Amino acid sequence: MSCSVISLPVMLFSIITTVVAESVALSTAQSDYKNSAQSREEILDSYNNYKNNQECDDVEVISEANIINKTFETPFMDKKVLLKTIEEHGFSNIQEEFERITCTMGTYALEFEKKSESEPYTVVISCREEDNAEEKINDISSEYGLNVQEEAYLSIVEKLTDNNMQLESEEVLEDNTIVLTVNL
């Protein structure tokens, strides 16, 4: 297994999470020891197995000097769809605070912020110099667009049903446009 160690304040919570996980594992092991007939050696073996599975063969240290920050304007307006998109895209440590969303994936740390209700989110991507921030934001934008299309489709179908209209047919074109034919 290969790991990256990022020495940035924004990434500090990843390190804290690991320490807390190890602490919880040891605490649980100690609690199990008190509540069971397992020997101390078995508990320590169990904890050491957990810890050994967390170690890396090849460690890459990433310092602040290797990290760049890039800011992008986005078309993202809907918070619910944005959260769904970044979750589906594989981001973790997703944190929401009012109109600010932060998340991480590998060596990428993203911070989305919306200044006002009428403006879209901007995003600041922190990543290694050699990572492609533009490609990452383009991937997220494409996925966001598909999620917006899905939300619109579901809303239209629901409104048709509510108004007792029948959907006669639907067709997905090559460009992923959906054509709905309705009986009036």
Side-chain angles (χ1 to χ4, degrees):
M1 178 193 313
S2 176
C3 294
S4 296
V5 178
I6 302 173
S7 62
L8 282 175
V10 264
M11 301 306 287
L12 188 58
F13 66 89
S14 295
I15 296 166
I16 292 170
T17 303
T18 303
V19 171
V20 169
E22 288 179 8
S23 175
V24 168
L26 183 57
S27 175
T28 303
Q30 289 170 340
S31 174
D32 289 347
Y33 174 69
K34 291 176 185 174
N35 298 325
S36 73
Q38 283 184 312
S39 72
R40 178 171 169 73
E41 290 76 28
E42 289 173 323
I43 298 294
L44 289 173
D45 284 345
S46 173
Y47 173 70
N48 287 331
N49 284 339
Y50 164 80
K51 188 167 172 86
N52 288 339
N53 289 333
Q54 302 303 312
E55 292 178 8
C56 304
D57 299 329
D58 179 25
V59 177
E60 174 188 7
V61 177
I62 302 171
S63 69
E64 232 175 294
N66 301 92
I67 301 297
I68 59 169
N69 292 319
K70 289 197 172 186
T71 303
F72 297 94
E73 297 292 324
T74 74
F76 311 151
M77 292 294 291
D78 188 304
K79 183 178 189 176
K80 183 179 107 180
V81 175
L82 177 56
L83 287 167
K84 177 182 177 185
T85 300
I86 58 178
E87 188 176 296
E88 287 177 351
H89 202 72
F91 284 88
S92 60
N93 301 319
I94 300 170
Q95 303 291 319
E96 299 177 58
E97 185 179 313
F98 303 107
E99 292 301 323
R100 186 173 167 265
I101 301 168
T102 59
C103 57
T104 60
M105 181 173 65
T107 58
Y108 290 92
L110 279 66
E111 181 179 323
F112 296 92
E113 190 168 7
K114 192 171 190 177
K115 303 280 187 216
S116 73
E117 188 63 33
S118 62
E119 294 180 37
Y121 283 90
T122 58
V123 63
V124 176
I125 299 180
S126 299
C127 61
R128 297 181 304 187
E129 290 179 45
E130 60 270 13
D131 290 338
N132 192 336
E134 290 85 2
E135 184 178 323
K136 183 60 71 182
I137 196 65
N138 287 338
D139 290 347
I140 295 168
S141 293
S142 295
E143 197 164 331
Y144 179 86
L146 292 174
N147 285 335
V148 167
Q149 182 180 22
E150 178 184 9
E151 291 288 322
Y153 170 81
L154 293 173
S155 176
I156 290 168
V157 170
E158 182 180 321
K159 286 181 183 180
L160 290 173
T161 303
D162 290 348
N163 291 315
N164 295 322
M165 296 180 163
Q166 282 188 322
L167 186 61
E168 183 176 306
S169 67
E170 58 184 87
E171 179 184 359
V172 179
L173 303 179
E174 286 182 24
D175 66 353
N176 286 331
T177 301
I178 301 172
V179 178
L180 302 175
T181 306
V182 179
N183 283 335
L184 297 176

